[in-house]
């Protein structure tokens, strides 16, 4: 199943009572959402996105939050100047479920789409390149 196939699906409510994916199954699903990585305790998937400024990172975080609310499957979202980190796991089972990978594919679609007017935001300060890292002398 490709990431596009996952992105076209909707989350099915998980009310608990099912075991979380084991690590091997999670690794099989992970190949469908490039850029995401597996983390532990609890098992979860996470991806960091980079932006040229705070306004665009914030706009992305809001779009991801709106998507999560619409799907009924919520992420941990952390953002600041030039970055946004999105993490999924299914809280009811304290681990991964197929819904987490569906949401990861949907978030990738948000990242690929224009989500903020290019006029929004500011130029990075002179000591920072567009990649968010300090400039080298």
């Amino acid at each position: 199943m490709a990431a596009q196939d996952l992105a076209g699906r909707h989350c099915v409510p998980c009310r608990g009572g099912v075991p979380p994916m084991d690590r091997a199954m999670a690794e099989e699903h992970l190949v469908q959402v490039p850029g995401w990585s597996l983390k532990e305790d609890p098992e979860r998937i996470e991806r960091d996105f980079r932006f040229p400024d705070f306004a665009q990172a914030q706009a992305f975080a809001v779009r991801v939050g709106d998507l999560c609310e619409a799907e009924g499957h919520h992420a941990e979202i952390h953002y600041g100047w030039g970055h946004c980190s999105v993490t999924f796991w299914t809280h009811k089972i304290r681990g991964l479920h197929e819904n987490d990978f569906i949401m990861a594919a949907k978030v990738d679609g948000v990242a690929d789409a224009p989500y903020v007017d290019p006029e929004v935001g500011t130029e990075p300060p002179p000591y920072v390149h567009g990649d968010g890292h300090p400039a080298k002398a």
Side-chain angles (χ1 to χ4, degrees):
M1 182 178 301
Q4 294 84 5
D5 296 333
L6 281 174
R9 297 177 57 199
H10 291 285
C11 290
V12 176
C14 179
R15 309 238 185 264
V18 297
M21 278 185 185
D22 63 29
R23 185 96 179 164
M25 184 178 284
E27 287 173 352
E28 288 176 21
H29 278 71
L30 192 64
V31 299
Q32 300 172 60
V33 286
W36 291 80
S37 58
L38 284 173
K39 305 292 182 180
E40 295 181 2
D41 199 24
E43 293 278 325
R44 61 195 187 278
I45 54 175
E46 183 174 288
R47 183 168 179 191
D48 294 315
F49 297 88
R50 297 289 173 178
F51 302 92
D53 57 36
F54 181 83
Q56 291 186 48
Q58 182 178 31
F60 177 76
V62 169
R63 289 278 309 272
V64 170
D66 290 345
L67 171 65
C68 291
E69 189 63 20
E71 289 289 326
H73 193 75
H74 301 93
E76 294 289 325
I77 305 169
H78 301 273
Y79 71 95
W81 196 95
H83 66 92
C84 182
S85 174
V86 181
T87 306
F88 285 105
W89 76 93
T90 301
H91 296 83
K92 291 274 186 189
I93 61 175
R94 274 197 52 77
L96 290 168
H97 185 276
E98 188 175 51
N99 288 338
D100 300 304
F101 294 90
I102 290 170
M103 290 303 296
K106 288 180 180 290
V107 167
D108 286 345
V110 170
D112 293 340
Y115 48 87
V116 67
D117 187 317
E119 299 298 316
V120 172
T122 59
E123 287 294 315
Y127 58 86
V128 176
H129 286 288
D131 64 1
H133 297 288
K136 294 185 177 162

